Amino acid sequence: MTGSEDRSRADETRARLLDAAVAAFAERGFHGSTTRDITSIAGLSTAAIYVHHRSKEELLYQVSRIGHQDILDRVRAAIASANDPVDQLIAVIREFAIHHARAHTVARVINYELTALSPEHQREIKEIRRVIDSEVRSLIERGVAAGDFDNPNPRMAAIALLSLGIDLARWYREDGPWAPEEIGDYYVDLALRIVGARSA
């Protein structure tokens, strides 16, 4: 077997463990899940987890880091996709809501199991969350400065908008009454009202 095949197999095993960890943590919570639960879902031996990850907490950290970085990348891409604050906010909120609905299982784990992370890992994830918040707050501030939004507290507005999206992970179900796109459109309307968009 070549070195590249070894790396590919190791990467595939790591990915299987991460997916299995998400399933276990979503169903049982971090503290209610065992390494045996995770490896059983992944179809691997219990020892496999320690070949690829130092601990169960390390799995949660990797899931959280990848998930939060993905969200930050999506927010930045949505902002870059438009030129004015109104269109940027529409793009951000639609993407944020649709993503949290479609990826609700991962989103639930990365948002509601934060306290199980080590202090060092919590600091790193909280910093990514701070940057996400800053991107949305700055966008609202630009809209206020341009006269597109009428909102006296952009910081609180940003927190409210992000909280709406994050909470989707708690209640959204695939067999529910609304498609992710419907929720995205509705949340855009809410967002424009929250920031006091002149056209809302």
Side-chain angles (χ1 to χ4, degrees):
M1 186 177 289
T2 67
S4 62
E5 287 174 328
D6 282 343
R7 283 193 299 276
S8 176
R9 180 170 289 178
D11 289 345
E12 181 184 326
T13 301
R14 276 191 288 274
R16 281 170 65 189
L17 285 166
L18 289 175
D19 289 344
V22 168
F25 298 157
E27 182 181 340
R28 302 175 180 94
F30 176 81
H31 294 295
S33 302
T34 65
T35 54
R36 188 179 299 277
D37 293 330
I38 295 166
T39 53
S40 175
I41 292 168
L44 299 165
S45 71
T46 305
I49 204 165
Y50 299 107
V51 173
H52 300 283
H53 299 279
R54 288 189 296 251
S55 65
K56 184 176 73 164
E57 188 274 342
E58 174 75 16
L59 274 168
L60 177 61
Y61 161 67
Q62 291 295 339
V63 169
S64 296
R65 183 184 58 77
I66 292 166
H68 279 90
Q69 187 60 52
D70 179 50
I71 290 167
L72 175 57
D73 292 344
R74 288 170 183 273
V75 166
R76 285 177 167 165
I79 291 171
S81 73
N83 294 319
D84 69 87
V86 173
D87 289 339
Q88 288 173 335
L89 186 71
I90 289 170
V92 167
I93 298 305
R94 180 173 283 125
E95 176 63 24
F96 197 78
I98 290 173
H99 174 70
H100 276 76
R102 286 183 179 157
H104 63 93
T105 304
V106 173
R108 191 162 64 251
V109 169
I110 70 173
N111 286 296
Y112 294 103
E113 297 290 344
L114 282 174
T115 58
L117 292 170
S118 70
E120 177 187 355
H121 288 157
Q122 278 192 43
R123 282 192 295 273
E124 184 177 340
I125 300 306
K126 285 178 178 177
E127 175 57 21
I128 301 173
R129 291 169 74 93
R130 186 198 64 74
V131 176
I132 293 168
D133 178 77
S134 176
E135 291 280 358
V136 177
R137 185 180 70 248
S138 295
L139 165 55
I140 296 169
E141 288 170 348
R142 289 194 301 275
V144 170
D148 294 323
F149 303 151
D150 179 16
N151 189 288
N153 196 330
R155 183 176 181 212
M156 191 178 292
I159 292 170
L161 294 176
L162 292 171
S163 296
L164 278 172
I166 289 168
D167 198 49
L168 270 168
R170 182 185 56 78
W171 62 262
Y172 180 79
R173 297 292 177 270
E174 284 94 346
D175 59 355
W178 303 296
E181 293 75 15
E182 290 179 272
I183 296 169
D185 289 343
Y186 188 73
Y187 275 31
V188 163
D189 183 61
L190 289 177
L192 292 173
R193 293 171 188 276
I194 285 170
V195 300
R198 299 297 186 180
S199 58

